[in-house]
Amino acid sequence: MVIATQLRPERLTFLADMHASLCRQSVPWEACVVLDGADPARLPAALAADPRIRTLALPRAVGAACARNFALNEVRTEYVQWADDDDEFTDWAMALRLRTLEETGVGWCAGYSQDLHEDGSTTLWRCPTPPGRHEAGDVWRYWKDPADTIPLGPTTLLARTDLVRAAPMGGLVQGEDYCALAVTCLAPGILLPVPVYRYRKHPAQMTAQDSYDELEEMARAFAHGFGASLHAAARPRRDVDSSLT
């Protein structure tokens, strides 16, 4: 698990809730919480006392994309998952996807997400990709144009760590997690039709800011092109003359 945070005061309760949702998981886990220029002393006590939590304190703020990629250096588990500091996991999120990965041998497993509203209610988001098994690159069929709804929720993906290192966060100031979807271009995977992640809706989130739309089109175009190019480069070259050596 990789969680980047700047430990902003208005998000500390949310981070504690994220940790509590991890504690409800029924399978072993560990998390690297990367402090993006934040004072480690502000880390909530429950996280600081949990031996499953390792912190990586960066000397200055570098932004979510860079912070998350630095934390990826510290991952020691076979599978890895991105998460935001203001969201939550459903209680069965890890067990369901881990079991699917181990039983099928695919490279990634995802699920649906829920919008978590300020009053505690949730709204299910069914991504455009249909449930079931998808071969490498097939998810991109459901993201035909950068302006379309993204095909999967990036934080619903649990994937092999070696694949995530080949398709990490993009070097963007926003929309960096769109690039993480490119991991689906490197190996087959399975989408489960059950919610595994709760995406918290609140006024302080980046996507709620007035300036968010200024760069959204460019971020989507970059991420969409990255995935398409990675899929094309990873495909076997069937047109290679077999006589060449």
Side-chain angles (χ1 to χ4, degrees), residues 97-177:
R97 291 174 300 159
L98 181 61
R99 183 171 69 244
T100 300
L101 287 165
E102 292 178 338
E103 291 179 352
T104 65
V106 296
W108 56 270
C109 184
Y112 290 158
S113 67
Q114 294 171 316
D115 288 341
L116 176 59
H117 304 288
E118 291 186 273
D119 63 0
S121 64
T122 59
T123 304
L124 182 65
W125 182 69
R126 292 182 177 89
C127 57
T129 302
R133 180 185 170 104
H134 298 276
E135 299 306 315
D138 281 357
V139 167
W140 240 245
R141 295 167 51 204
Y142 305 100
W143 196 16
K144 297 183 184 300
D145 186 90
D148 294 341
T149 301
I150 57 175
L152 286 176
T155 47
T156 73
L157 278 162
L158 180 65
R160 282 190 357 232
T161 301
D162 62 315
L163 296 177
V164 175
R165 287 190 168 120
M169 291 283 163
L172 302 171
V173 296
Q174 68 180 61
E176 70 286 341
D177 54 347

